[in-house]
């Protein structure tokens, strides 16, 4: 393809992008295809002869588009959002055009220095003290893995990478049952082992780890000859928004010299709004924290903000410096590949710069405040219906509910059928979770283009479909 043709197609795709976004409300949110439909529509063998872009694009519209679930749909209320705001998409176009590998300072000084500055903007935006420094990771899962590896190395006096875990005391890590499965995987991958992830019971409306149970578990492990390494707390758990009492977790950790990592992957973005920061009181005392600007904040996936109190601990855990990676003569520069698990890195900071400048923090805050208010309003409307129950109170913009008409016997089956019926209908998209073993339906407001009318429309769709379901 020559650059003249490229420019023509780029202009066409820019128009397509705007039309796509403007027409999203006319499309089903969740893809309405049976498994295998796209696979079977694609040729079995690669083409030997070049094809026209016109044909490739036509096939994209015909084969691919119907198989997409529309994450940018304003009526996407499932999981958590993955917002791609227009300015962040534009920045990604420039990043794609330059296609740089930003592993070292010298492989793109602007990418490194932009990352340093943007992470400091984000730090200020969410109200963290300047004792924290940040790095952009591809996902919260990666940031949490880096944190668990750091806790492991710290506990082993920096010998784990070299000597392995054989013959060591059992390393122990503490978390509640409300944390994301990325914590389980970090524990597996780090070699600590699922049996050594100690689950601390939760208490109260926030479903927070019981600090006394946490202290008792650590002391019992020490008495048994184990080696406590760290604690993973959460602010805004994935299921129903569970939030640990960070201050009390940090206090217990301090007494035992343990590392604390905080997973605020979703809720962290809301901390740009000062009145919501009570949810993570004590965050100043954690050793590391992750939140995803690619969820609620509007920075196109992928962009995870990983903050650490002591970058030396992270670099000591992850940095490998073979000869070809040494940047001779440039001591004092940051090579972010030493702060992360993959070597190669995309230029992710540019979209934060475009996003934050083109909205300003005040617009981003207002959007989140709206989402929280609209979600609360919907929860109240559902609570007012005799055949619906609110099963967990709103945490920011997330709550859960279930359909519980009088006389219904098996509410778990009924509510799974309701979620499936809603998603097959396609006007809105929701997901379910288990709350103390019971099936409940999650509702979160967070899509960038969502309006108050879209949330009100969800009430109509949910109640209509529930009441029209066939009896079991
Ligand atoms: C989304 C989420 C994660 C996983 O985030 P990735 O960036 O997809 O790895 C982890 N923890 C919580 C609480 C989340 O909401």
């Amino acid at each position: 393809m020559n650059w003249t043709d490229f420019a023509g197609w780029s202009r066409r795709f820019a128009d397509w992008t705007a039309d796509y976004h403007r027409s999203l409300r006319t499309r089903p949110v969740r893809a309405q295809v049976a498994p295998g439909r796209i696979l079977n529509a694609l040729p079995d063998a690669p083409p030997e002869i070049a094809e026209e872009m016109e044909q490739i694009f036509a096939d994209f519209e015909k084969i691919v588009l119907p198989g997409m679930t529309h994450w940018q749909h304003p009526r996407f209320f499932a999981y958590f959002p993955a917002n791609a705001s227009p300015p962040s998409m534009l920045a990604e176009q420039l990043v794609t055009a330059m296609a740089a590998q930003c592993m070292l300072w010298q492989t793109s000084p602007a990418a490194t220095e932009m990352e340093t500055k943007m992470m400091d903007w984000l730090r200020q935006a969410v109200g963290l003290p300047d004792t924290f420094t940040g790095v952009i990771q591809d996902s919260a899962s990666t940031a949490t893995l880096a944190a668990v590896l750091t806790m492991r190395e710290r506990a082993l006096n920096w010998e784990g990478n070299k000597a392995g875990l054989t013959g060591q005391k059992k390393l122990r890590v503490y978390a509640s049952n409300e944390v994301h499965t990325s914590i389980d995987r970090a524990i597996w991958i780090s070699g600590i082992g699922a049996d050594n992830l100690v689950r601390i019971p939760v208490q109260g409306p926030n479903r927070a780890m019981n600090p006394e149970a946490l202290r008792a578990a650590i002391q019992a492990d020490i008495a048994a000859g184990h080696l406590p390494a760290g604690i993973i707390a959460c602010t805004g758990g994935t299921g129903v928004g569970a939030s640990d009492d960070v201050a009390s977790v940090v206090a217990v950790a301090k007494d035992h010299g343990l590392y604390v990592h905080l997973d605020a992957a979703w809720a962290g973005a809301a901390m740009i709004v000062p009145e919501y920061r009570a949810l993570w009181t004590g965050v100043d005392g954690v050793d590391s924290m992750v939140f995803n600007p690619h969820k609620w904040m509007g920075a196109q996936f992928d962009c995870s903000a990983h903050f650490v109190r002591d970058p030396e601990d992270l670099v000591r855990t992850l940095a490998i410096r073979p000869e070809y990676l040494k940047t001779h003569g440039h001591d004092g520069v940051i090579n972010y590949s030493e702060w992360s698990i993959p070597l190669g890195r995309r230029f992710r900071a540019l979209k934060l710069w475009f996003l934050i400048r083109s909205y300003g923090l005040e617009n981003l805050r207002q959007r989140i405040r709206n989402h929280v208010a609209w979600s609360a309003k919907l929860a109240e409307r559902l609570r007012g219906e005799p055949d619906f129950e609110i099963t967990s109170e709103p945490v920011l913009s997330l709550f859960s509910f279930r359909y519980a008409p009088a006389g219904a016997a098996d509410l778990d089956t009924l509510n799974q059928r309701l979620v499936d019926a809603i998603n097959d209908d396609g006007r809105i998209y929701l997901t379910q979770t288990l709350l103390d073993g019971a099936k409940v339906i999650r509702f979160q407001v967070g899509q960038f283009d969502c309006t108050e009318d879209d949330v009100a429309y969800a009430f109509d769709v949910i109640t209509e479909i529930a009441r029209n379901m066939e009896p079991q």
Side-chain angles (χ1 to χ4, degrees):
M1 179 178 279
N2 65 43
W3 292 109
T4 307
D5 289 348
F6 177 89
W9 279 104
S10 288
R11 280 190 288 272
R12 213 166 132 183
F13 286 3
D15 287 339
W16 184 91
T17 303
D19 290 344
Y20 167 76
H21 280 264
R22 283 193 287 251
S23 69
L24 273 171
R25 282 190 185 82
T26 66
R27 299 173 192 268
V29 191
R30 197 209 58 199
Q32 304 285 317
V33 293
R37 150 104 179 258
I38 291 88
L39 186 70
N40 293 328
L42 297 171
D44 288 332
E48 294 290 344
I49 308 294
E51 298 183 57
E52 288 299 325
M53 186 55 65
E54 200 66 64
Q55 189 56 47
I56 300 170
F57 182 54
D59 285 344
F60 162 79
E61 290 202 295
K62 192 172 99 205
I63 299 169
V64 178
L65 206 49
M68 294 303 293
T69 291
H70 301 292
W71 282 74
Q72 307 311 319
H73 198 300
R75 294 168 184 163
F76 182 103
F77 304 112
Y79 307 100
F80 283 134
N83 285 309
S85 64
S88 82
M89 277 194 257
L90 291 174
E92 282 287 48
Q93 290 180 12
L94 300 179
V95 167
T96 300
M98 298 180 291
Q101 257 294 352
C102 307
M103 53 196 177
L104 306 173
W105 177 85
Q106 70 172 13
T107 65
S108 269
T112 296
E113 295 182 16
M114 179 68 78
E115 183 160 339
T116 304
K117 189 62 82 178
M118 287 308 103
M119 289 304 294
D120 201 60
W121 281 17
L122 285 183
R123 176 192 66 71
Q124 297 173 51
V126 298
L128 284 180
D130 63 8
T131 42
F132 284 92
T133 341
V135 53
I136 303 179
Q137 308 282 9
D138 56 358
S139 67
S141 304
T142 308
T144 294
L145 175 57
V148 169
L149 293 170
T150 306
M151 346 180 142
R152 185 192 78 183
E153 287 308 292
R154 225 164 140 259
L156 293 175
N157 203 21
W158 316 100
E159 283 294 312
N161 279 339
K162 182 167 152 286
L165 302 188
T166 313
Q168 295 286 359
K169 288 181 182 179
K170 276 188 181 164
L171 289 158
R172 305 285 267 181
V173 175
Y174 309 84
S176 81
N177 259 325
E178 300 287 332
V179 296
H180 189 262
T181 49
S182 57
I183 281 80
D184 299 70
R185 290 205 283 183
I187 295 291
W188 303 346
I189 298 166
S190 64
I192 292 172
D195 291 349
N196 296 308
L197 176 57
V198 182
R199 298 293 186 168
I200 305 301
V202 297
Q203 60 179 19
N206 281 355
R207 307 179 77 82
M209 268 191 276
N210 174 337
E212 288 322 308
L214 173 63
R215 187 183 298 279
I218 295 167
Q219 287 170 352
D221 280 345
I222 294 170
H226 302 331
L227 185 57
I231 305 166
I232 298 175
C234 69
T235 299
T238 315
V240 294
S243 296
D244 287 315
D245 173 353
V246 181
S248 72
V249 169
V250 165
V252 174
K254 283 228 166 76
D255 289 346
H256 299 90
L258 299 189
Y259 186 105
V260 179
H261 174 65
L262 178 65
D263 178 5
W266 161 67
M271 301 304 146
I272 64 173
V273 185
E275 63 263 30
Y276 299 147
R277 290 184 194 153
L279 199 60
W280 72 1
T281 302
V283 66
D284 294 11
V286 304
D287 294 285
S288 59
M289 187 274 282
V290 64
F291 90 90
N292 282 346
H294 71 226
K295 280 184 170 158
W296 207 354
M297 203 167 161
Q300 164 151 8
F301 187 83
D302 51 357
C303 185
S304 282
H306 178 194
F307 289 97
V308 292
R309 215 147 43 132
D310 188 352
E312 254 326 295
D313 283 355
L314 179 63
V315 170
R316 204 166 167 186
T317 302
L318 295 181
I320 295 174
R321 300 183 203 215
E323 187 57 28
Y324 70 91
L325 289 180
K326 286 185 184 151
T327 51
H328 300 284
H330 280 293
D331 285 350
V333 305
I334 296 176
N335 293 318
Y336 279 119
S337 57
E338 299 185 338
W339 299 44
S340 47
I341 293 163
L343 172 64
R345 327 182 75 242
R346 301 176 58 240
F347 184 3
R348 297 193 185 89
L350 194 71
K351 59 194 166 195
L352 286 170
W353 196 48
F354 274 52
L355 169 76
I356 297 171
R357 291 183 68 185
S358 72
Y359 286 94
L361 290 177
E362 201 39 60
N363 273 314
L364 296 171
R365 285 188 195 107
Q366 192 50 48
R367 190 175 251 101
I368 288 175
R369 285 191 181 107
N370 284 343
H371 293 165
V372 171
W374 300 339
S375 173
K377 214 161 154 182
L378 179 71
E380 288 321 305
R381 284 185 75 192
L382 284 172
R383 201 195 307 272
E385 297 297 308
D387 45 357
F388 281 87
E389 294 173 357
I390 298 304
T391 47
S392 63
E393 294 300 321
V395 174
L396 302 170
S397 65
L398 169 69
F399 69 91
S400 68
F401 68 94
R402 67 179 174 175
Y403 182 47
D410 181 355
L411 288 182
D412 284 357
T413 306
L414 183 67
N415 279 278
Q416 187 61 57
R417 282 176 58 218
L418 175 56
V419 171
D420 293 341
I422 288 170
N423 295 336
D424 288 345
D425 170 86
R427 283 175 288 170
I428 65 172
Y429 187 21
L430 298 175
T431 38
Q432 71 284 345
T433 190
L434 285 178
L435 180 62
D436 298 326
K439 187 138 317 189
V440 300
I441 305 177
R442 295 169 77 258
F443 194 93
Q444 67 76 27
V445 182
Q447 208 288 321
F448 235 58
D449 293 331
C450 174
T451 64
E452 186 165 12
D453 283 348
D454 290 314
V455 181
Y457 182 73
F459 175 88
D460 299 341
V461 173
I462 293 165
T463 51
E464 174 205 308
I465 293 180
R467 289 166 187 163
N468 285 338
M469 276 196 305
E470 297 285 327
Q472 307 181 54

